Amino acid sequence: SQQGEEDPQALSIQEGENATMNCSYKTSINNLQWYRQNSGRGLVHLILIRSNEREKHSGRLRVTLDTSKKSSSLLITASRAADTASYFCATEVGGSQGNLIFGKGTKLSVKP
Amino acid sequence: DAGVIQSPRHEVTEMGQEVTLRCKPISGHDYLFWYRQTMMRGLELLIYFNNNVPIDDSGMPEDRFSAKMPNASFSTLKIQPSEPRDSAVYFCASSLSGARDTQYFGPGTRLTVL
């Protein structure tokens, strides 16, 4: 079964609006990462948040982590058409060196 | 750095043929990962290596799949014989410290098995 699941599956907004995507997971984690994938391309790392952190910022990105609810959110502020992509959360399951488990992603469409 | 390099970018083959996908990780990265992405199943980890040694191959779907890493700068994923259900995009990724670190993905190989 999927460790991380993003919500919503698809999101369509206008340029300039904020986009919020959520990720829920099932078991305890060491860290949670967010990746972006443009159509036909490989995944690109956006941000990593460790289990002892609650919030992290990178440019227009803001990630929160609530380990008590086993959930994370990715906020993109002042969205641009170039932000159109699929966004994935990935969790490192405790005790595993390499096993990063990806959700199925949120497909974001930003209309100019 | 050129990033993770994969070849070929596209592969179309007929059922029963052998397929070999290639990957060159980023120099200095100790971990290499092979993933498969499909619409139905999303992104699945097939196998990963640490210092050229396979650590976890539990995601390899069947004996038809095999992966090798003969040296720190090269890895292959082989499917023999290929089947239509193997059609997917296969990604290679590398990182310094496994799942505790950023993974850098290659552009992927889109495999179509007819």
Side-chain angles (χ1 to χ4, degrees):
Chain A
S1 63
Q2 212 73 17
Q3 159 73 334
E5 293 195 8
E6 292 87 346
D7 168 60
Q9 290 186 341
L11 181 61
S12 182
I13 59 174
Q14 293 294 132
E15 209 166 27
E17 293 180 341
N18 295 343
T20 300
M21 289 158 270
N22 303 297
C23 170
S24 58
Y25 57 91
K26 294 174 183 165
T27 61
S28 63
I29 60 171
N30 291 327
N31 71 57
L32 186 145
Q33 304 183 36
W34 284 91
Y35 287 78
R36 182 187 74 221
Q37 184 179 32
N38 290 85
S39 181
R41 311 287 285 273
L43 280 73
V44 174
H45 180 261
L46 294 176
I47 201 161
L48 181 153
I49 187 164
R50 303 198 186 281
S51 59
N52 60 353
E53 297 175 310
R54 292 296 167 258
E55 189 171 311
K56 215 164 179 182
H57 296 255
S58 176
R60 293 183 297 112
L61 306 180
R62 174 180 167 241
V63 167
T64 61
L65 178 64
D66 187 334
T67 53
S68 67
K69 294 181 179 177
K70 291 188 170 58
S71 68
S72 173
S73 67
L74 170 67
L75 168 68
I76 303 174
T77 59
S79 63
R80 305 167 182 167
D83 295 328
T84 295
S86 291
Y87 292 81
F88 297 86
C89 69
T91 51
E92 181 212 352
V93 177
S96 167
Q97 284 187 325
N99 216 336
L100 200 60
I101 302 177
F102 286 81
K104 287 201 171 179
T106 292
K107 197 166 188 175
L108 173 66
S109 175
V110 182
K111 301 185 190 309
Chain B
D1 199 322
V4 175
I5 299 172
Q6 289 186 249
S7 64
R9 292 294 309 277
H10 302 272
E11 177 82 28
V12 180
T13 191
E14 295 198 343
M15 184 173 65
Q17 296 297 307
E18 177 180 296
V19 175
T20 299
L21 311 182
R22 297 172 177 79
C23 175
K24 177 178 166 55
I26 292 173
S27 176
H29 282 188
D30 291 335
Y31 286 81
L32 182 139
F33 307 83
W34 282 102
Y35 291 92
R36 177 173 68 177
Q37 186 177 38
T38 61
M39 289 293 291
M40 288 296 294
R41 300 176 67 89
L43 196 65
E44 303 173 281
L45 177 66
L46 299 178
I47 185 172
Y48 77 90
F49 295 83
N50 180 19
N51 291 322
N52 312 339
V53 176
I55 302 300
D56 183 354
D57 65 354
S58 59
M60 296 284 261
E62 299 168 36
D63 291 345
R64 298 184 296 106
F65 286 69
S66 63
K68 292 181 180 179
M69 192 163 185
N71 58 61
S73 59
F74 184 65
S75 177
T76 60
L77 178 68
K78 188 175 291 187
I79 308 172
Q80 166 64 17
S82 58
E83 296 183 4
R85 59 193 167 122
D86 301 330
S87 297
V89 181
Y90 291 81
F91 288 101
C92 176
S94 69
S95 77
L96 283 169
S97 306
R100 295 179 188 144
D101 197 3
T102 299
Q103 292 193 11
Y104 294 84
F105 281 74
T109 294
R110 181 173 294 276
L111 173 65
T112 302
V113 183
L114 302 173

